[in-house]
Amino acid sequence: MAQEPKNVEETLECYIYAETEPSAEQKKGFTDFLTKKYKKDIVLRWLPDNNISKGFKLVVDDDIYDWTEEGRFGQFRDLLEGIRTGGSASGDGRYDLDRPAEDGRDLVTLIKSSVEEWSLGAIAEEEGHVKTVGDGIVVATGLDSAEYGETVIFDSGIKGMVQDLRANDVGIILFGKDDDVLEGSRVRRTKKTAGIPVGDDFLGRVIDAMGNPIDGKDPINADGYRPIETPAPGIVKRQSVDTPMNTGILSIDSMFPIGRGQRELIIGDRQTGKTSIAIDTILNQKGNGVICIYVAIGQKASSVAQIVGNLTKHGAMDYTIVVSAAASETAPIQYIAPYAGCALGEYFMYKGKDVLIVYDDLSKHAIAYRALSLLLERSPGREAYPGDVFYLHSRLLERSARLSDEFGGGSITALPIVETQAGDVSAYIPTNIISITDGQIFLESDLFFSGQRPAVNVGLSVSRVGGAAQTKAMKKAAGTIRLDLAQYREMEVFTQFSSDLDETTKKQLTYGQGLMRLLRQPQSKPFKPHEQIILLVTATAHLMQDIPLDDINKYREELLNHYHENEGSLCEKLDRTGQLSDEDKSDIIEISKKFTESFGK
């Protein structure tokens, strides 16, 4: 037995798990090692374990020294995973095989030298036990050094994430069903932040919040791994938003433009066309080099399948990833879904690409987080939401940015969706997200049911980026359309007294009605930039004044066909340059005027 060390205060009982009993010499080696490390008198006991064919496991309180074949391989794998070649310099967490290492060595040399220098060490693994489990929430003891956001793994193989740190235990949310997690079962730290696999192969796929494919296709080959929560890019890494993210929706692109790197809220009551606007925006990115991510939170699986079918039908799944956390999933899965989608977007953004991400919707996300918080016994505040619910969405949406050229020039444009009750935009969650975003598109129920679709309320909608995110052609073509519509909405109340109105007022009302009808747009049929410019120039020149309202859709379709067939060079020039010269504007007015005179004849 080892000589008793100085300053020993108590005895420490240790267990060694192995198939065969260690020899006396081996026991002495273990005892000497543990005495030196823990400064206590060691009592070593052997427990036979037929599952360990090679090596052993040494358990000291909550520390586990895994010297089995599997444990040694895990240590070596962690060594290789820790080798970064360039990613750490930019702070984006990427593994870049094409760039040299920071010290000038290439990847092969770096791995070779690391392997030669590596030696197996005893790594203490902290282990705890389940105290209580239920509703997707686990309270565990013994994980004294666990960190917030760290992934833990249970005996059954189910993973979870540390969500609550307390004096004597930790609260864990489960990424799976809690049927196989029992009271008293073991839980082990991984010392890794919860994350998601990322890579180009995710394009065109439907995945769950953990990155697993759920579309019935082949497994996905990941290029790397990103934490689901990372700090937002700092001011130095950003540049101003000045490049349009065209939606193809005339009413939005002309009055409430969205720029690449912007956060524009889509808000309105249930069944007012919020998702339709987001899907049309995704369809409009075809051929623009924009990667789209659609995050479905708390929706029916059938609704998500319908959206995927629509995207596939229009060829949009080639550049789109769908992340689904359906209503049947647990609250923890719905909670992490938008962060997982954002992590995927950041992978592409840091590669210099432009990303459009839709969060549908953050109302259900807030409800899922409220359920988690109440189950974790956090005190509720206003409207029963926890006090940190603002931080829930701010740390998500602040990750949307347009990076400066020095950091690749990529961007993430966010379109969060929020559902209101009876048009109440002053409720807790809507006001929180309105204050975080760079503007909102407000959809009104009355407009929707009157047939005005998209039902955009001109008075309550706003883009705080404004004309900076429009091309000069669009800015010039849109002109005073928003002001004209606002004036029409004020005068609309007088339409019932049309027989008593003067001729000028009647013309203004007719013009406003024509504009409103022009802004009605079929679903899944976004307009190209040159089509929007032609329609706006024609409308603001009052050339549609005498067209009957019921004929405006037909007029619009035939007008655009006329330009495509006879004025192809002008259409191409408008798209290519993004400019609208006075000469081009005059030409459009003249061409549209001649077409209007012949329309219907």
Side-chain angles (χ1 to χ4, degrees):
M1 185 174 176
Q3 185 178 356
E4 183 173 299
K6 296 179 181 179
N7 301 323
V8 171
E9 296 178 357
E10 59 181 284
T11 300
L12 186 62
E13 197 167 67
C14 308
Y15 299 91
I16 183 165
Y17 293 83
E19 189 175 28
T20 58
E21 185 175 2
S23 65
E25 186 179 352
Q26 288 173 327
K27 286 183 179 180
K28 183 179 184 303
F30 292 139
T31 305
D32 290 346
F33 165 73
L34 295 172
T35 301
K36 183 177 180 182
K37 181 173 179 62
Y38 291 95
K39 302 292 189 295
K40 295 179 182 179
D41 196 7
I42 301 298
V43 175
L44 188 64
R45 303 187 189 279
W46 167 62
L47 295 176
D49 191 336
N50 295 328
N51 294 321
I52 301 176
S53 58
K54 296 180 180 179
F56 60 88
K57 266 189 181 181
L58 192 59
V59 179
V60 186
D61 281 345
D62 291 328
D63 292 343
I64 299 176
Y65 297 85
D66 192 346
W67 223 307
T68 62
E69 189 175 56
E70 182 183 1
R72 286 175 291 181
F73 174 76
Q75 290 184 42
F76 187 66
R77 182 190 59 224
D78 291 342
L79 167 79
L80 296 181
E81 286 183 353
I83 299 174
R84 299 191 175 200
T85 59
S88 58
S90 60
D92 58 19
R94 291 178 293 149
Y95 296 97
D96 190 346
L97 303 185
D98 298 323
R99 289 168 57 184
E102 294 174 16
D103 59 2
R105 295 178 291 171
D106 61 26
L107 182 66
V108 175
T109 306
L110 190 61
I111 291 177
K112 185 178 179 182
S113 63
S114 298
V115 171
E116 289 174 349
E117 295 166 3
W118 176 74
S119 61
L120 182 65
I123 298 179
E125 294 184 356
E126 192 173 326
E127 186 180 86
H129 295 86
V130 174
K131 185 177 178 182
T132 61
V133 57
D135 298 312
I137 303 294
V138 170
V139 176
T141 59
L143 301 177
D144 297 335
S145 301
E147 299 177 358
Y148 180 86
E150 181 181 350
T151 300
V152 295
I153 188 166
F154 296 84
D155 279 346
S156 59
I158 292 177
K159 292 183 178 180
M161 183 173 78
V162 177
Q163 188 71 18
D164 209 28
L165 300 175
R166 306 169 185 171
N168 301 314
D169 50 42
V170 295
I172 300 167
I173 58 175
L174 289 177
F175 296 149
K177 296 185 177 179
D178 55 20
D179 299 347
D180 297 328
V181 179
L182 306 174
E183 291 186 14
S185 60
R186 293 185 302 176
V187 55
R188 180 170 55 85
R189 290 182 62 197
T190 64
K191 300 181 182 177
K192 291 183 178 179
T193 305
I196 183 174
V198 295
D200 293 337
D201 287 353
F202 282 84
L203 291 172
R205 302 300 299 271
V206 183
I207 61 173
D208 63 16
M210 302 302 296
N212 304 308
I214 55 175
D215 51 9
K217 300 179 182 178
D218 295 334
I220 302 173
N221 296 319
D223 295 337
Y225 180 89
R226 283 195 67 88
I228 59 172
E229 294 211 45
T230 53
I235 297 296
V236 175
K237 291 185 177 181
R238 299 177 183 239
Q239 63 176 313
S240 60
V241 176
D242 58 14
T243 305
M245 174 66 74
N246 290 318
T247 66
I249 300 171
L250 185 59
S251 57
I252 295 175
D253 290 341
S254 60
M255 295 182 283
F256 318 106
I258 300 171
R260 299 191 180 187
Q262 187 175 342
R263 302 153 300 177
E264 185 78 1
L265 172 63
I266 302 174
I267 185 170
D269 285 2
R270 185 174 177 271
Q271 297 292 322
T272 51
K274 301 184 296 297
T275 300
S276 297
I277 286 179
I279 297 302
D280 282 358
T281 304
I282 291 176
L283 297 182
N284 195 53
Q285 305 315 311
K286 190 172 185 178
N288 293 343
V290 177
I291 290 166
C292 302
I293 300 172
Y294 178 80
V295 183
I297 309 164
Q299 296 188 39
K300 292 185 294 185
S302 59
S303 300
V304 178
Q306 190 175 1
I307 288 169
V308 172
N310 189 23
L311 293 173
T312 304
K313 176 183 174 183
H314 293 89
M317 278 303 290
D318 295 339
Y319 53 87
T320 302
I321 304 169
V322 175
V323 181
S324 176
S328 58
E329 298 283 1
T330 60
I333 294 295
Q334 294 183 39
Y335 160 67
I336 68 161
Y339 299 104
C342 192
L344 272 169
E346 286 174 330
Y347 165 78
F348 292 104
M349 177 176 73
Y350 283 110
K351 290 179 71 174
K353 297 183 180 180
D354 292 309
V355 179
L356 170 68
I357 185 164
V358 177
Y359 302 111
D360 190 7
D361 65 63
L362 293 188
S363 301
K364 294 184 179 69
H365 183 233
I367 290 169
Y369 184 65
R370 174 168 65 185
L372 286 184
S373 296
L374 294 177
L375 289 168
L376 287 167
E377 300 178 356
R378 293 177 181 169
S379 300
R382 177 176 162 187
E383 296 180 28
Y385 286 100
D388 63 338
V389 74
F390 180 90
Y391 183 55
L392 174 77
H393 292 139
S394 64
R395 72 178 189 264
L396 170 68
L397 295 172
E398 288 293 342
R399 290 161 70 178
S400 301
R402 185 180 177 215
L403 297 178
S404 61
D405 294 336
E406 183 183 351
F407 292 92
S411 69
I412 292 180
T413 307
L415 294 181
I417 295 175
V418 166
E419 184 179 301
T420 55
Q421 304 291 330
D424 183 14
V425 296
S426 63
Y428 191 29
I429 300 303
T431 50
N432 278 353
I433 302 177
I434 286 172
S435 65
I436 296 166
T437 50
D438 306 312
Q440 68 273 351
I441 297 166
F442 181 72
L443 303 182
E444 190 178 345
S445 298
D446 291 343
L447 285 174
F448 183 84
F449 294 125
S450 69
Q452 185 68 31
R453 303 176 186 179
V456 178
N457 182 306
V458 177
L460 292 178
S461 301
V462 66
S463 172
R464 297 189 182 96
V465 173
Q470 282 180 313
T471 62
K472 292 183 179 178
M474 177 60 76
K475 198 182 299 185
K476 190 171 183 179
T480 60
I481 185 171
R482 187 176 181 186
L483 180 61
D484 294 342
L485 284 171
Q487 290 176 341
Y488 164 70
R489 290 296 298 271
E490 286 186 2
M491 297 175 62
E492 193 177 14
V493 69
F494 297 111
T495 53
Q496 56 186 314
F497 309 114
S498 57
S499 59
D500 301 330
L501 299 176
D502 61 84
E503 201 61 34
T504 303
T505 305
K506 284 182 180 179
K507 284 186 177 180
Q508 284 184 318
L509 285 170
T510 304
Y511 172 59
Q513 289 169 345
L515 282 181
M516 292 294 288
R517 189 60 65 95
L518 177 69
L519 294 177
R520 290 188 184 183
Q521 192 167 333
Q523 192 174 337
S524 303
K525 290 187 178 179
F527 289 130
K528 294 182 173 62
H530 72 267
E531 294 175 333
Q532 293 179 332
I533 292 165
I534 290 167
L535 291 174
L536 289 169
V537 171
T538 302
T540 54
H542 293 259
L543 298 179
M544 299 181 183
Q545 188 83 30
D546 298 325
I547 304 293
L549 290 179
D550 293 338
D551 291 340
I552 282 184
N553 286 346
K554 180 182 177 184
Y555 174 87
R556 179 178 61 194
E557 185 177 343
E558 293 186 6
L559 175 68
L560 293 178
N561 287 337
H562 175 78
Y563 273 90
H564 292 154
E565 292 170 4
N566 303 296
E567 306 295 339
S569 59
L570 175 59
C571 296
E572 188 273 334
K573 180 183 177 183
L574 292 173
D575 282 342
R576 176 172 45 84
T577 64
Q579 304 278 351
L580 178 64
S581 64
D582 292 337
E583 183 182 350
D584 290 338
K585 187 174 181 179
S586 300
D587 288 345
I588 291 173
I589 293 173
E590 192 61 35
I591 294 166
S592 297
K593 188 175 182 181
K594 289 180 180 179
F595 173 82
T596 305
E597 291 171 353
S598 64
F599 177 71
K601 293 182 181 178

